[in-house]
Amino acid sequence: MLLKCIRLKKIYARCIFILIIIVCLVIITSQFLPKDNQNNSYKHSKVSNNLSQIFEKKLRDYESRIIPNLGDNGEAAFLDGKDARDGEKALKKFALNTVLSDRMPLNRKLRDPRNKKCKDFAYDPKLKASVIVIFYNELLSVVLRTVWSVILQTPGKLLEEIILVDDASTEESLKGLLDYYLETRLKEHRIKIVRIKHRLGLIRARLQGARIAQGDVLIFLDAHCEATVGWAEPLLSRIEEDRTAVLVPIIDVIEATNMAYSTNGDTTFQVGGFSWSGHFTWIDIQEEKDKNKLTPVKSPTMAGGLFAIERNFFWDIGSYDEQMDGWGGENLEMSFRIWQCGGRLETVPCSRVGHVFRDFHPYSFPDNKDTHGINTARLAHVWMDDYKRFFFMHQPGLENNPIVGDLTHRKQLRQKLRCKPFKWYLDNVYPEKFIPDENVFAWGQARTEFEMCLDDLQLGDDKVGPLGLYQCHPFLAMSQYFSISQKGELRKENTCAEVFNGYDVQLTACHGHQREQYWILFKNGSIYNPAVRKCLSSEGVDNGKGVKVEDCKDSVYQRWTFTNINNTV
Ligand code: UDP
Ligand code: MN
């Protein structure tokens, strides 16, 4: 009995021992298996033998159709006959001539687009970059050309790795065939692929890439870019000098029609601004001293698709707002945050990368949500303080809408980092940004006694068109929001009322030189233009038509009442 008991105990102990060993083995081996905890697998998977043959054949077919030297030096490229016609069709469908891209060498040579003097700078950075390229249903040849350009134009010692993030593309060629291409054609290069199982949108896709990056600096690129010679050195050198500098190259245009690499000359470029409707805009370099400069130039915002940031700084300063879905808004969020929380944004003139600007998004968004609007509402609530009022005038439906989601974490981040107010940003980083109700003589609706108001007739902020007259809305809508600025402009955000031919009044880009854009608002309500010595009049103007200037007289048609008058300016 006792013996039996002892034997049982022994068996027990042995079982427990074996169990412990098994558990240990499972734990140890799991450390070495690819991590799949975020629904993603890292490093491209090995392609099976059968598939290999199929892929190899596909690639050979594809490679045999490539036309040598097509598009070399970034020249515009053209195809003939059916190919040309198919290219036209593709352009309408994908906003890109995919037929042409497929025939152009993946490693085409580009000319050096930089200013000649850039070569005189002796950059010798010690930092290494992880280049992160995210994609959703992009054309394989365009993605590969992006990868090739990075490999060809980045000295090996500066390139830690390339990380491709597939945001759950459904396009077959971006799966096994891409893996196979990397395995067979780019084997000796450090390229990782993150495969996201369920589409995350570009913000969270970039985050997934950043999480596995090991380089000192993260450089994000869209999947339809081409880097040019010397692009990486000035970015890395500047970050070595100041880790809080977040950098954008000059973004040149790769034409979607013919793949031409086109520049605006080698000295002219613009930096980033924003509109109160929450969109990114290009603006002229802000300070005279910075024009024609080849060292980094201050930029209030960035376009978002292409930028370099020191890896730890990226995390320290709050990476991205993870609750932002889909596409859009993240670039302004990051721009404001960087400036307000102690970093700086700069454009680096000696670093140039081409980007295909597409006329429309060739992909749709889940649930057709206006992710740009929702994301911008998030950033407006977190970063713009009271100035968010202008954004919500454009998007009133989003102001108190639960669709915008919880903001607690981002507000906590702002507190934790002790970030400066948005007013500081406007005063110091973007002082020329027009604020419709600050430092102005009058603002709001400008109405006549007949309840007619000045109206931009939905012109849009960068077009030229008549300064219109329309029934006053019962609330202050953006289309009827006008200001008389300190400079005497009768204006909207970017457009100013200007007299043409001594008669006609058009909204046109504000040029700041007064003359026909100079108006005086008199106490009696007349709006006088000294250049033509006439007054703004609504006489005989139909609803929805343009106002004009006439000889000044005491007339109800020449009296305008602004919602707000500021006598203290
Ligand atoms: N993208 C993504 N997931 C999405 C939408 C876009 O990964 O849900 C990728 C897209 O393939 C591209 C990058 O994000 O590489 C930026 O998108 P896009 O180029 O369309 O934006 P744009 O340059 O027009 O602002
Ligand atoms: Mn893009």
Side-chain angles (χ1 to χ4, degrees), residues 346-391:
E346 294 170 346
T347 301
V348 179
C350 286
S351 172
R352 303 187 77 128
V353 178
H355 170 261
V356 182
F357 289 87
R358 300 183 285 209
D359 282 349
F360 56 89
H361 285 135
Y363 47 80
S364 61
F365 295 104
D367 314 326
N368 272 330
K369 271 201 288 184
D370 168 21
T371 55
H372 180 276
I374 296 167
N375 293 345
T376 310
R378 291 184 65 79
L379 81 91
H381 280 306
V382 177
W383 299 104
M384 293 175 78
D385 304 324
D386 279 350
Y387 293 94
K388 69 182 176 188
R389 63 186 178 273
F390 297 119
F391 171 69

Short mmCIF file of all heavy atoms in Angstrom, two decimals, residues 346-391:
data_model
loop_
_atom_site.label_atom_id
_atom_site.label_comp_id
_atom_site.label_asym_id
_atom_site.label_seq_id
_atom_site.Cartn_x
_atom_site.Cartn_y
_atom_site.Cartn_z
N GLU A 346 10.28 71.91 -40.26
CA GLU A 346 11.07 72.63 -41.26
C GLU A 346 11.01 71.92 -42.61
O GLU A 346 10.89 70.69 -42.66
CB GLU A 346 12.54 72.68 -40.82
CG GLU A 346 12.76 73.50 -39.57
CD GLU A 346 14.17 73.34 -38.99
OE1 GLU A 346 14.90 72.40 -39.40
OE2 GLU A 346 14.53 74.15 -38.14
N THR A 347 11.15 72.70 -43.66
CA THR A 347 11.32 72.12 -45.00
C THR A 347 12.80 72.18 -45.32
O THR A 347 13.46 73.20 -45.08
CB THR A 347 10.53 72.93 -46.04
OG1 THR A 347 9.16 72.92 -45.67
CG2 THR A 347 10.69 72.34 -47.43
N VAL A 348 13.33 71.08 -45.84
CA VAL A 348 14.76 70.99 -46.11
C VAL A 348 14.99 71.10 -47.62
O VAL A 348 14.74 70.15 -48.36
CB VAL A 348 15.33 69.67 -45.55
CG1 VAL A 348 16.82 69.55 -45.82
CG2 VAL A 348 15.06 69.58 -44.05
N PRO A 349 15.48 72.25 -48.09
CA PRO A 349 15.54 72.49 -49.53
C PRO A 349 16.49 71.57 -50.29
O PRO A 349 16.31 71.37 -51.48
CB PRO A 349 16.06 73.94 -49.63
CG PRO A 349 15.84 74.53 -48.29
CD PRO A 349 15.90 73.41 -47.30
N CYS A 350 17.49 70.99 -49.61
CA CYS A 350 18.43 70.13 -50.34
C CYS A 350 18.00 68.67 -50.33
O CYS A 350 18.74 67.79 -50.76
CB CYS A 350 19.84 70.29 -49.79
SG CYS A 350 20.58 71.84 -50.32
N SER A 351 16.80 68.40 -49.81
CA SER A 351 16.28 67.04 -49.85
C SER A 351 15.03 67.07 -50.72
O SER A 351 14.09 67.83 -50.44
CB SER A 351 15.93 66.59 -48.44
OG SER A 351 15.24 65.35 -48.48
N ARG A 352 15.02 66.26 -51.78
CA ARG A 352 13.85 66.31 -52.68
C ARG A 352 13.32 64.91 -52.97
O ARG A 352 14.07 64.01 -53.30
CB ARG A 352 14.21 67.01 -53.99
CG ARG A 352 14.75 68.41 -53.76
CD ARG A 352 14.94 69.14 -55.05
NE ARG A 352 13.69 69.62 -55.57
CZ ARG A 352 13.48 70.89 -55.94
NH1 ARG A 352 14.45 71.78 -55.84
NH2 ARG A 352 12.32 71.25 -56.42
N VAL A 353 12.02 64.79 -52.85
CA VAL A 353 11.37 63.50 -53.11
C VAL A 353 10.14 63.77 -53.98
O VAL A 353 9.38 64.71 -53.72
CB VAL A 353 10.94 62.81 -51.79
CG1 VAL A 353 10.22 61.50 -52.08
CG2 VAL A 353 12.14 62.57 -50.89
N GLY A 354 9.97 62.94 -55.01
CA GLY A 354 8.79 63.10 -55.86
C GLY A 354 7.61 62.33 -55.30
O GLY A 354 7.78 61.31 -54.62
N HIS A 355 6.42 62.82 -55.56
CA HIS A 355 5.19 62.19 -55.06
C HIS A 355 4.14 62.30 -56.16
O HIS A 355 4.01 63.35 -56.78
CB HIS A 355 4.73 62.93 -53.79
CG HIS A 355 3.36 62.56 -53.31
ND1 HIS A 355 2.24 63.33 -53.58
CD2 HIS A 355 2.93 61.51 -52.57
CE1 HIS A 355 1.19 62.75 -53.01
NE2 HIS A 355 1.58 61.66 -52.40
N VAL A 356 3.42 61.22 -56.40
CA VAL A 356 2.33 61.29 -57.38
C VAL A 356 1.13 61.93 -56.69
O VAL A 356 0.58 61.35 -55.74
CB VAL A 356 1.93 59.89 -57.88
CG1 VAL A 356 0.83 60.00 -58.93
CG2 VAL A 356 3.13 59.14 -58.44
N PHE A 357 0.77 63.13 -57.12
CA PHE A 357 -0.43 63.77 -56.58
C PHE A 357 -1.60 63.30 -57.43
O PHE A 357 -1.64 63.54 -58.63
CB PHE A 357 -0.30 65.30 -56.66
CG PHE A 357 0.69 65.85 -55.67
CD1 PHE A 357 2.04 65.94 -55.99
CD2 PHE A 357 0.28 66.27 -54.42
CE1 PHE A 357 2.97 66.43 -55.08
CE2 PHE A 357 1.20 66.77 -53.50
CZ PHE A 357 2.54 66.85 -53.84
N ARG A 358 -2.52 62.60 -56.82
CA ARG A 358 -3.64 62.05 -57.58
C ARG A 358 -4.85 62.97 -57.46
O ARG A 358 -5.06 63.59 -56.42
CB ARG A 358 -3.98 60.65 -57.05
CG ARG A 358 -2.80 59.70 -57.16
CD ARG A 358 -3.16 58.31 -56.71
NE ARG A 358 -3.27 58.18 -55.27
CZ ARG A 358 -3.03 57.06 -54.61
NH1 ARG A 358 -2.67 55.97 -55.26
NH2 ARG A 358 -3.15 57.00 -53.29
N ASP A 359 -5.63 63.01 -58.55
CA ASP A 359 -6.79 63.91 -58.56
C ASP A 359 -7.90 63.43 -57.63
O ASP A 359 -8.75 64.21 -57.22
CB ASP A 359 -7.37 64.03 -59.97
CG ASP A 359 -6.51 64.97 -60.81
OD1 ASP A 359 -5.66 65.64 -60.21
OD2 ASP A 359 -6.69 65.01 -62.03
N PHE A 360 -7.93 62.16 -57.36
CA PHE A 360 -8.93 61.64 -56.41
C PHE A 360 -8.35 60.41 -55.74
O PHE A 360 -7.34 59.86 -56.20
CB PHE A 360 -10.26 61.31 -57.13
CG PHE A 360 -10.11 60.34 -58.26
CD1 PHE A 360 -10.19 58.98 -58.04
CD2 PHE A 360 -9.88 60.80 -59.56
CE1 PHE A 360 -10.06 58.07 -59.10
CE2 PHE A 360 -9.75 59.90 -60.62
CZ PHE A 360 -9.83 58.54 -60.39
N HIS A 361 -8.99 59.99 -54.66
CA HIS A 361 -8.52 58.78 -54.00
C HIS A 361 -9.05 57.57 -54.75
O HIS A 361 -10.26 57.44 -54.91
CB HIS A 361 -9.00 58.73 -52.55
CG HIS A 361 -8.25 59.67 -51.68
ND1 HIS A 361 -8.85 60.49 -50.77
CD2 HIS A 361 -6.94 59.93 -51.60
CE1 HIS A 361 -7.94 61.22 -50.16
NE2 HIS A 361 -6.76 60.89 -50.65
N PRO A 362 -8.17 56.69 -55.19
CA PRO A 362 -8.65 55.53 -55.95
C PRO A 362 -9.27 54.47 -55.04
O PRO A 362 -9.65 53.40 -55.49
CB PRO A 362 -7.38 55.01 -56.62
CG PRO A 362 -6.26 55.48 -55.76
CD PRO A 362 -6.72 56.72 -55.07
N TYR A 363 -9.34 54.74 -53.76
CA TYR A 363 -9.91 53.78 -52.83
C TYR A 363 -11.06 54.43 -52.07
O TYR A 363 -11.17 55.65 -52.03
CB TYR A 363 -8.85 53.31 -51.82
CG TYR A 363 -8.05 54.44 -51.20
CD1 TYR A 363 -8.56 55.19 -50.15
CD2 TYR A 363 -6.78 54.76 -51.68
CE1 TYR A 363 -7.83 56.23 -49.60
CE2 TYR A 363 -6.05 55.80 -51.14
CZ TYR A 363 -6.58 56.53 -50.10
OH TYR A 363 -5.85 57.57 -49.56
N SER A 364 -11.92 53.58 -51.51
CA SER A 364 -13.02 54.15 -50.73
C SER A 364 -12.72 53.93 -49.25
O SER A 364 -11.81 53.18 -48.90
CB SER A 364 -14.34 53.49 -51.11
OG SER A 364 -14.23 52.12 -50.83
N PHE A 365 -13.51 54.59 -48.43
CA PHE A 365 -13.32 54.44 -47.00
C PHE A 365 -14.45 53.61 -46.41
O PHE A 365 -15.58 53.74 -46.85
CB PHE A 365 -13.27 55.81 -46.32
CG PHE A 365 -12.10 56.61 -46.76
CD1 PHE A 365 -12.24 57.65 -47.66
CD2 PHE A 365 -10.84 56.31 -46.29
CE1 PHE A 365 -11.14 58.37 -48.09
CE2 PHE A 365 -9.73 57.03 -46.70
CZ PHE A 365 -9.89 58.05 -47.61
N PRO A 366 -14.14 52.79 -45.41
CA PRO A 366 -15.20 52.00 -44.81
C PRO A 366 -16.33 52.91 -44.32
O PRO A 366 -16.06 54.01 -43.82
CB PRO A 366 -14.49 51.33 -43.62
CG PRO A 366 -13.04 51.41 -43.91
CD PRO A 366 -12.83 52.59 -44.79
N ASP A 367 -17.53 52.52 -44.51
CA ASP A 367 -18.74 53.24 -44.07
C ASP A 367 -18.90 54.62 -44.69
O ASP A 367 -19.73 55.42 -44.23
CB ASP A 367 -18.79 53.43 -42.53
CG ASP A 367 -18.45 52.17 -41.79
OD1 ASP A 367 -18.81 51.10 -42.32
OD2 ASP A 367 -17.82 52.26 -40.72
N ASN A 368 -18.07 54.95 -45.67
CA ASN A 368 -18.15 56.28 -46.29
C ASN A 368 -18.11 57.44 -45.31
O ASN A 368 -18.74 58.46 -45.51
CB ASN A 368 -19.45 56.38 -47.11
CG ASN A 368 -19.21 55.87 -48.50
OD1 ASN A 368 -18.08 55.97 -49.00
ND2 ASN A 368 -20.23 55.30 -49.08
N LYS A 369 -17.39 57.25 -44.22
CA LYS A 369 -17.32 58.31 -43.21
C LYS A 369 -16.42 59.44 -43.69
O LYS A 369 -15.42 59.20 -44.35
CB LYS A 369 -16.74 57.73 -41.91
CG LYS A 369 -17.80 57.17 -40.99
CD LYS A 369 -17.32 57.07 -39.55
CE LYS A 369 -16.32 56.00 -39.32
NZ LYS A 369 -15.88 55.78 -37.99
N ASP A 370 -16.75 60.66 -43.31
CA ASP A 370 -15.89 61.79 -43.62
C ASP A 370 -14.77 61.81 -42.57
O ASP A 370 -14.78 62.59 -41.62
CB ASP A 370 -16.71 63.09 -43.56
CG ASP A 370 -15.83 64.33 -43.58
OD1 ASP A 370 -14.67 64.25 -44.03
OD2 ASP A 370 -16.31 65.40 -43.15
N THR A 371 -13.79 60.93 -42.77
CA THR A 371 -12.76 60.81 -41.73
C THR A 371 -11.94 62.09 -41.62
O THR A 371 -11.50 62.44 -40.53
CB THR A 371 -11.83 59.62 -41.99
OG1 THR A 371 -11.25 59.73 -43.29
CG2 THR A 371 -12.57 58.31 -41.87
N HIS A 372 -11.76 62.78 -42.74
CA HIS A 372 -10.99 64.03 -42.66
C HIS A 372 -11.68 65.02 -41.72
O HIS A 372 -11.05 65.63 -40.86
CB HIS A 372 -10.81 64.64 -44.05
CG HIS A 372 -10.02 65.92 -44.04
ND1 HIS A 372 -10.61 67.14 -43.77
CD2 HIS A 372 -8.70 66.16 -44.19
CE1 HIS A 372 -9.67 68.07 -43.79
NE2 HIS A 372 -8.51 67.50 -44.03
N GLY A 373 -13.00 65.15 -41.88
CA GLY A 373 -13.76 66.08 -41.04
C GLY A 373 -13.73 65.65 -39.58
O GLY A 373 -13.46 66.47 -38.68
N ILE A 374 -13.96 64.38 -39.34
CA ILE A 374 -14.02 63.89 -37.96
C ILE A 374 -12.65 64.04 -37.30
O ILE A 374 -12.53 64.52 -36.17
CB ILE A 374 -14.48 62.41 -37.93
CG1 ILE A 374 -15.92 62.32 -38.48
CG2 ILE A 374 -14.42 61.84 -36.52
CD1 ILE A 374 -16.38 60.92 -38.80
N ASN A 375 -11.61 63.66 -38.02
CA ASN A 375 -10.25 63.78 -37.46
C ASN A 375 -9.91 65.24 -37.16
O ASN A 375 -9.26 65.55 -36.16
CB ASN A 375 -9.22 63.19 -38.42
CG ASN A 375 -9.36 61.68 -38.57
OD1 ASN A 375 -10.03 61.05 -37.76
ND2 ASN A 375 -8.76 61.12 -39.60
N THR A 376 -10.35 66.12 -38.06
CA THR A 376 -10.03 67.54 -37.85
C THR A 376 -10.81 68.08 -36.65
O THR A 376 -10.30 68.91 -35.89
CB THR A 376 -10.32 68.34 -39.13
OG1 THR A 376 -9.69 67.68 -40.22
CG2 THR A 376 -9.77 69.75 -39.02
N ALA A 377 -12.04 67.60 -36.48
CA ALA A 377 -12.81 68.02 -35.30
C ALA A 377 -12.06 67.60 -34.04
O ALA A 377 -11.97 68.34 -33.06
CB ALA A 377 -14.20 67.40 -35.33
N ARG A 378 -11.47 66.41 -34.07
CA ARG A 378 -10.70 65.95 -32.91
C ARG A 378 -9.54 66.89 -32.61
O ARG A 378 -9.33 67.32 -31.48
CB ARG A 378 -10.14 64.53 -33.15
CG ARG A 378 -11.17 63.43 -33.19
CD ARG A 378 -10.52 62.05 -33.34
NE ARG A 378 -9.70 61.68 -32.19
CZ ARG A 378 -10.18 61.21 -31.04
NH1 ARG A 378 -11.46 61.03 -30.91
NH2 ARG A 378 -9.36 60.93 -30.04
N LEU A 379 -8.80 67.23 -33.66
CA LEU A 379 -7.61 68.07 -33.41
C LEU A 379 -8.03 69.49 -33.03
O LEU A 379 -7.36 70.15 -32.25
CB LEU A 379 -6.67 68.05 -34.62
CG LEU A 379 -6.99 68.95 -35.81
CD1 LEU A 379 -6.33 70.31 -35.69
CD2 LEU A 379 -6.53 68.29 -37.08
N ALA A 380 -9.16 69.94 -33.59
CA ALA A 380 -9.62 71.29 -33.26
C ALA A 380 -9.94 71.37 -31.77
O ALA A 380 -9.53 72.31 -31.07
CB ALA A 380 -10.85 71.64 -34.09
N HIS A 381 -10.65 70.35 -31.25
CA HIS A 381 -11.00 70.34 -29.82
C HIS A 381 -9.75 70.28 -28.95
O HIS A 381 -9.70 70.88 -27.88
CB HIS A 381 -11.88 69.13 -29.50
CG HIS A 381 -13.33 69.33 -29.88
ND1 HIS A 381 -14.07 70.41 -29.45
CD2 HIS A 381 -14.16 68.58 -30.64
CE1 HIS A 381 -15.31 70.31 -29.92
NE2 HIS A 381 -15.38 69.22 -30.65
N VAL A 382 -8.75 69.53 -29.39
CA VAL A 382 -7.59 69.33 -28.52
C VAL A 382 -6.59 70.48 -28.61
O VAL A 382 -6.06 70.93 -27.60
CB VAL A 382 -6.88 67.99 -28.85
CG1 VAL A 382 -5.63 67.80 -28.00
CG2 VAL A 382 -7.84 66.82 -28.63
N TRP A 383 -6.34 71.00 -29.83
CA TRP A 383 -5.19 71.91 -30.00
C TRP A 383 -5.52 73.36 -30.29
O TRP A 383 -4.68 74.24 -30.09
CB TRP A 383 -4.27 71.37 -31.13
CG TRP A 383 -3.74 70.03 -30.78
CD1 TRP A 383 -4.16 68.83 -31.28
CD2 TRP A 383 -2.75 69.73 -29.78
NE1 TRP A 383 -3.48 67.81 -30.68
CE2 TRP A 383 -2.62 68.33 -29.75
CE3 TRP A 383 -1.96 70.51 -28.91
CZ2 TRP A 383 -1.73 67.68 -28.89
CZ3 TRP A 383 -1.08 69.87 -28.06
CH2 TRP A 383 -0.97 68.48 -28.05
N MET A 384 -6.75 73.64 -30.75
CA MET A 384 -6.97 74.99 -31.30
C MET A 384 -7.63 75.97 -30.32
O MET A 384 -7.92 77.10 -30.69
CB MET A 384 -7.77 74.91 -32.59
CG MET A 384 -6.99 74.24 -33.71
SD MET A 384 -7.96 74.01 -35.21
CE MET A 384 -7.92 75.67 -35.91
N ASP A 385 -7.85 75.54 -29.10
CA ASP A 385 -8.50 76.41 -28.11
C ASP A 385 -9.74 77.08 -28.72
O ASP A 385 -10.43 76.46 -29.49
CB ASP A 385 -7.50 77.42 -27.55
CG ASP A 385 -6.28 76.73 -26.95
OD1 ASP A 385 -6.46 75.65 -26.36
OD2 ASP A 385 -5.15 77.24 -27.10
N ASP A 386 -9.93 78.38 -28.42
CA ASP A 386 -11.13 79.07 -28.93
C ASP A 386 -11.14 79.23 -30.45
O ASP A 386 -12.19 79.48 -31.05
CB ASP A 386 -11.22 80.47 -28.32
CG ASP A 386 -11.82 80.39 -26.93
OD1 ASP A 386 -12.32 79.30 -26.60
OD2 ASP A 386 -11.77 81.40 -26.21
N TYR A 387 -9.97 79.11 -31.06
CA TYR A 387 -9.91 79.31 -32.51
C TYR A 387 -10.61 78.20 -33.28
O TYR A 387 -10.82 78.31 -34.48
CB TYR A 387 -8.46 79.44 -32.97
CG TYR A 387 -7.84 80.71 -32.43
CD1 TYR A 387 -7.11 80.71 -31.24
CD2 TYR A 387 -8.03 81.92 -33.09
CE1 TYR A 387 -6.59 81.88 -30.72
CE2 TYR A 387 -7.50 83.10 -32.59
CZ TYR A 387 -6.78 83.07 -31.40
OH TYR A 387 -6.27 84.23 -30.90
N LYS A 388 -10.97 77.15 -32.55
CA LYS A 388 -11.72 76.08 -33.22
C LYS A 388 -13.06 76.61 -33.72
O LYS A 388 -13.70 75.97 -34.56
CB LYS A 388 -11.91 74.90 -32.28
CG LYS A 388 -12.84 75.15 -31.10
CD LYS A 388 -12.92 73.92 -30.21
CE LYS A 388 -13.79 74.23 -28.99
NZ LYS A 388 -13.77 73.18 -28.00
N ARG A 389 -13.47 77.78 -33.21
CA ARG A 389 -14.76 78.33 -33.67
C ARG A 389 -14.82 78.46 -35.19
O ARG A 389 -15.86 78.24 -35.79
CB ARG A 389 -15.03 79.69 -33.02
CG ARG A 389 -14.02 80.79 -33.37
CD ARG A 389 -14.29 82.06 -32.56
NE ARG A 389 -13.33 83.12 -32.83
CZ ARG A 389 -12.17 83.26 -32.20
NH1 ARG A 389 -11.80 82.38 -31.28
NH2 ARG A 389 -11.36 84.28 -32.49
N PHE A 390 -13.69 78.77 -35.81
CA PHE A 390 -13.72 78.95 -37.27
C PHE A 390 -13.91 77.61 -37.98
O PHE A 390 -14.62 77.52 -38.96
CB PHE A 390 -12.42 79.62 -37.76
CG PHE A 390 -12.26 80.99 -37.20
CD1 PHE A 390 -11.16 81.30 -36.41
CD2 PHE A 390 -13.20 81.97 -37.45
CE1 PHE A 390 -11.01 82.56 -35.88
CE2 PHE A 390 -13.06 83.25 -36.92
CZ PHE A 390 -11.96 83.54 -36.13
N PHE A 391 -13.23 76.59 -37.47
CA PHE A 391 -13.42 75.28 -38.11
C PHE A 391 -14.88 74.84 -37.98
O PHE A 391 -15.48 74.37 -38.94
CB PHE A 391 -12.49 74.22 -37.49
CG PHE A 391 -12.82 72.84 -37.99
CD1 PHE A 391 -12.59 72.47 -39.31
CD2 PHE A 391 -13.44 71.91 -37.15
CE1 PHE A 391 -12.94 71.22 -39.79
CE2 PHE A 391 -13.80 70.65 -37.63
CZ PHE A 391 -13.55 70.31 -38.94
#
